[in-house]
Amino acid sequence: MNAAVQSCAFASSGEQHNAIHHAVQAACRRIAPTWPLDRFIAVNPWWGFVDQPVQVASDSIGHLCGSPLTMPMDWYLNQYEQGHITDEALGVALRRHGIDTGIDNRIDKFKQTCVKNSSQPVRLALLTDVLDEQRDLLQPTCQDVVTHAIGQHCASWFDQHQASWRPTHNTSLYAAWRDIASHDNAPSLSTGISGIASRIAALPQTHDELIGVVCAALKLTQEEYENYFSALLFSVNGWAAWCAYLRWQAEQQGQTDDHLEQLLAIRLAWEWVLMEDKTSEALLGEWLLTRQKQRNVTDKLNTAVHPNNPAWIWQDALEITWQQHVNSGLLNATLPQKQPARPALQAVFCIDVRSEPMRRALEASNPAIRTHGFAGFFGLPIEYLPLASRHARPQLPGLLAPQLRAVSTAANPSATQRISAKRRFRLGIAQAWENVRTNASSGFGFVEITGLSAAWKLLRASLYGASAVGSDTGGLNAAECNLLHPVLEGITLDDSIELAARVLHAMSLQNDFAPLVLLVGHGSQSANNSHAAGLDCGACCGQTGEINARVLANLLNKPEVRAGLRVKGIALPHDTRFVAGLHNTTTDDIRLFESPLANGTELTQARDWIVQASQRIRAERAPSLNLVGKTPAALAAAFQQRAMDWSQTRPEWGLANNAAFIAAPRERTRHMNLQGRSFLHDYNYANDVNHSVLELILTAPVIVAHWINMQYFASTIDNRRWGSGNKVLHNVVGGNIGVFEGNGGDLRIGLPLQSLHNGENWVHTPLRLSVWIEAPRDAISDVVRRHEKLRQLVHGQWLYLFCIEPDSNRIFRYAVPDTNQQHQQNQPAWVSETLLSI
Amino acid sequence: MSFNFFIFAIAPSDWQTLSALLLLLLPCSLLLPAWLAGRRHPQSDHAWRFAQAITLFALLTTLLSMFVVGNDGPVTVVSAAWLPAVRLDTLTLAMLALTSFLGWVIVRYSRNYLAGDRGRGRYLSWLCLTLAPVWWLVMLNNLLLVCLCWTATGFALHNLLTFYHTRPAAILAAHKKFLISRAADLMTLTATLLVYLNLNTLQIDRITQALATGHPVNGGIELAALLFVLSAILKCAQLPFHGWLLQVMEAPTPVSAMLHAGIVNIGGFILLRLSALLETTPAAQLLLVIAGSITATLAALVMMTRISIKVMLAWSTCAQMGFMLLEIGLGAYSLALLHLLAHSLYKAYAFLNAGETVARQRLLNLVPSERQPVVGVHLLALVGLLLILGLAGFLTGIDPRQEPAMWVLGGAVASTILPLVSAPVGARALPVRQIIMLFLSAFGLASLYGVWHVLFAHLMPMSPTPPGHLALWFAGGCLLSLLIVQHIVLGRPNGSVSRWLHPRAFAGFHLDELVSHIALRVWPTRLMIETKTPAVVLRPDFKNKENI
């Protein structure tokens, strides 16, 4: 074997080396990152494919992973039967796919073909698949053994928190694997393939060399490299995504990271070492045959189905049906002719879909309440350093790098110092106890002495519930928490004024300030939930929005900042006060961080309205949680209990069913019930002279919303691959890296099944994001033209883009230019949306 | 003071009969929710409420029986000639209180946790059927019935472990457990037969009495003792038969809690119950000490390398069971019982609350840890350690010269408080307040240990014969080497010892793969339920109904 490897090494020429290098880079770029559980923001798992139109990507992903980007046909037919897809919408979808529906029974004929037709994508066969084909069912599959082995090695390599005994790394991921695996007989024992360890020992020293050598030895052609590499990486998708995250972080700081290449090398090496010498020729021959057969099938499928894949026609029709509802609502808006009077209360919420019902409920408390929507990090590019800690955490969207730092302070430095010392003391003691608990030799006595006290913990958690100790309040008592407030560290007055002006401008909040302006971030409350951060604010990097709201309120309440703002033309009335709040999306309460300056009566009034709003929205949500026929107080208690229930795997479904993004003045949507399905961003194009705010909206919040939308989409269409599976089996890896489903295997990314499914039905309907912008068409086209990623998303139909034309009160759809001329700078065609009769 | 003072119409023996009858009925009543849950719609809650009520009632009945035992002392109650005798003593009641409390917690937890799962009803049925034999086996006086109940629990548990029967890993782990459990069952049944042949009775109280009053010990009895020890070693997941315990994370979290807190420790209970038999055979005791010490040492070492929370907890269970068996082998029955109870509660909470790992990690990360203990313990720390131990021992009356087992077990307490008293040595500038607090905590732990020692000595007597020197030295040597190795590898994680040992410990010393390999050779199983999926069509059925 060694000799074979050597001779192959000589065969690889420089040209081939280049081809391999390019293919490796291309395959690695296909992998989207996954964030750690303590900042679990949503990601489009197909972010590496957005350079292709979505249907093309669907075919490629189907080819590489075995699952397309659409739901199964019977699901669509079921949606049709339930009326979620109308005949009219299906007709439109068919026409968009170039199928003439002039003859009426075309639609019926199409439906009939769909009932019969259910083609599965053909997955690119790996060598392990061919091996598994030949084996009996009494042994674990090679694929499972390899995935498990890689999973364990990666977990051990990347773990920072779980294991108490971790030698630091002095080699690379690949070299360490080669070193350890060459002494490990376990894979041979469990697969029954002999000599794996000795073949690993004979592998090249570096991952670069290995890829070249094995490619040559496996007799792959250059055209096959990229797809084969991608398929290999997708077979260990979770860890690949983790490596991609490390790369993402490194690139944000201007560095590089090659863990992904090393992971690829390890997976590739496994293909090679599983072949025994005596059978390798036959196996390679069979693999070649399988690949050829597959290529024929794939080619036939692609020409036959694409571009008129029936599943995509149904998907389009489903989306069109929903868009029609929104369109008719948007066009029914009664826009006020005259300036309204000064509002009694303003509240700025995050654009999050869960803010929409809350805003609706709050506005229903009094017509003089005005609500606004803006990204929940409130435009502050900050990281937050908790008191007494040395590790700052980002509080801004994952796409951006922090520029400023917020810290917690009390009224004066000495008080801050005192509280900080106390906290360090308490956390230090907790840390010492943790050492006693987790050390090998101290565990026996520790359990024997303190174990009985767990009876009390079990009793309390069962009867009363548990509340997660937040990292913001841990080690502090309630009184100390109240003394602390977050502020920006080391920022000059000029910069503060500049920042404040920029934020207010981006919020379209320039005049008509109410006496009380609430800045409401959001956070979710759940107990015993490893994916808790996934329900927090995505714009705050999977944290609660509390810090950002409080920092901004503090900034805008400063008299010297206001004086500076006045110079810049933003006149804040003297009696206007900003108060930060936190919307608890599980219980739908809003907690206000009371500013001592705020006007008493107005605050009391606001609290009253908020209580009414909370009651209204809880009543609205109750049926979906099987809580009907309860008084408002009982309902509030039931919601609270649910949030604290340590056995609750479905604390909330607030983000499920997201489907729309609307950037317009609130008057456009105020009369609509969007059922918590829409991200709402306030945008007034008249105030945005140079369209800089428009550009910001389309390139930041829209992308974040798209990521959330696609995370839910992907986790729903194939939860085994893009979701993290069954929550009752979850097993947290490395303290915060992610979860295994069960013992081990691959790292699982995406959302748990319980976040998407209520046991009977999906609670999320996978729709691509539809974006409505109230702005002139040309301005939107201009932004789309200038930003490559956005253009790819829109042109590739990863999302829909609509323009609400303010003057004509019409809605236009951004129709994708013909694919044949895609590379020319052609004008986008805006197509007027006609309302179908629904 | 007699019970008649409160309720004068009923004689003491009636109270005994009443509680024995109630206790005997409890497991029967669990069959009702088991049956209901299998029949009704999986999302129906009646059976769950019922099961919860029964576990709660079991807890109340246990409390009642505690009064009876407190009043009358331990008895064996024959309520009717055709009913099996019930032992009312500390061991029974402690185990009953534990399992009914945990049963209540787990049923309550699972009710929401598995909401929406198609197999929810099936889950409750098997949960009840697993719990019922556990209750019987801790209370019955007939050795054969006890052994049969032990087997029945294993069979019912098998259905919980394979709850998601489409997962090959679940099938493999459950299969391994099945083989090991059946081997253990064979041993217990043989041992029971041997006991019967030699002592002419299956009643545990009579067996104990016969052996205590100098019944001659022959080869048959010694073999029986050895077989019971071996089956406990198998069923308590001692190395190298531990693999199944680590891999049953393929079942829902509460099943892990149930298994780790209420079932894996039954081996320990049986040995405590048969302590008289055990004492007849020093070889059996020594075997127990050796197996327990080796497992405790190696499994604890492996535990430090685990990268996922649940598997870490499983290795910890493996080590803790080793420690419990070691205590039994040394004759420290009261401490073994304490360990059994404390570990069960501790581990049940740790499993059920495993989702909190991320939040706890975040909190601990705020102040980065000074995890690495220094290699040479500072003289001051050592003096502090000895002072604390001496003072706590003096106050609570623990004297290793009277109780030789305490040389080893007290050593375990010393290594527990060592991280606390040596923390100031590792850290650069620790505030005085913190040092005082750490020393106070250490003293608190040591004293609390003494208090437990006194309390449990009342509940469960220690072995009358002191442990042999070999056992003491072996156990002490193992625990000491664990301490030393731990300090070397944590103190110099990049040293040559650590680098050499870590891959081996991370691989679990390759023990399980060997055993699985042999197990699959001896008795293969189908790992896939579905027919063979061709490589080209790997799209799973995505309704996922099976899984939710």
Side-chain angles (χ1 to χ4, degrees), chain A residues 477-496:
Chain A
N477 60 33
E480 287 160 353
C481 285
N482 285 340
L483 288 176
L484 293 169
H485 53 270
V487 293
L488 290 174
E489 186 189 52
I491 185 171
T492 63
L493 181 58
D494 285 348
D495 289 346
S496 303

Side-chain angles (χ1 to χ4, degrees), chain A residues 1 185 188 192-201 273-276:
Chain A
M1 174 58 75
N185 202 23
S188 278
I193 298 169
S194 61
I196 294 177
S198 58
R199 283 194 290 277
I200 290 176
V273 298
L274 284 178
M275 283 193 300
E276 281 171 335

Side-chain angles (χ1 to χ4, degrees), chain B residues 184-243:
Chain B
D185 290 339
L186 215 60
M187 289 180 191
T188 49
L189 289 175
T190 316
T192 308
L193 186 68
L194 283 171
V195 168
Y196 183 73
L197 290 177
N198 285 290
L199 297 174
N200 272 326
T201 179
L202 284 173
Q203 302 300 313
I204 295 174
D205 58 340
R206 289 198 203 135
I207 297 172
T208 308
Q209 206 181 5
L211 293 172
T213 51
H215 186 279
V217 175
N218 55 24
I221 291 182
E222 287 187 330
L223 184 60
L226 270 172
L227 283 174
F228 272 117
V229 163
L230 274 175
S231 64
I233 288 172
L234 285 176
K235 285 207 176 178
C236 286
Q238 298 298 284
L239 298 182
F241 311 108
H242 61 297

Side-chain angles (χ1 to χ4, degrees), chain A residues 72 133 168 441 448 528 645 726, chain B residues 112 339 352 486 494 542 547:
Chain A
E133 281 280 273
T168 48
S441 62
E448 198 160 304
N528 202 13
D645 182 359
N726 194 341
Chain B
N112 274 348
H339 201 90
L352 297 179
Q486 177 202 311
N494 297 320
F542 45 104
N547 259 0

Side-chain angles (χ1 to χ4, degrees), chain A residues 516-536:
Chain A
L516 185 61
V517 183
L518 303 180
L519 303 171
V520 189
H522 65 95
S524 179
Q525 185 191 357
S526 56
N528 202 13
N529 180 5
S530 38
H531 287 83
L535 295 169
D536 284 338

Side-chain angles (χ1 to χ4, degrees), chain A residues 72 133 137 165 168 184 294 389 438 441 448-449 462 468 528 543 645 650 726 731-732 734 741 743, chain B residues 108 112 115 164 167 307 310 327 339 352 355-356 362 366 371 452 486 494 499 526 532 536 542 547:
Chain A
E133 281 280 273
L137 296 172
W165 172 18
T168 48
D184 188 357
Q294 282 192 338
S389 174
T438 56
S441 62
E448 198 160 304
I449 299 167
S462 298
N528 202 13
Q543 313 296 319
D645 182 359
R650 300 175 174 91
N726 194 341
N731 180 6
V732 177
E741 194 190 28
N743 286 331
Chain B
R108 201 181 156 92
N112 274 348
Y164 294 122
R167 300 178 66 80
I307 37 75
K310 285 185 179 175
E327 286 180 322
H339 201 90
L352 297 179
E356 206 67 351
R362 274 180 71 151
L366 285 179
R371 290 197 86 113
W452 291 134
Q486 177 202 311
N494 297 320
R499 287 212 178 278
R526 286 179 83 84
K532 204 163 169 181
V536 283
F542 45 104
N547 259 0

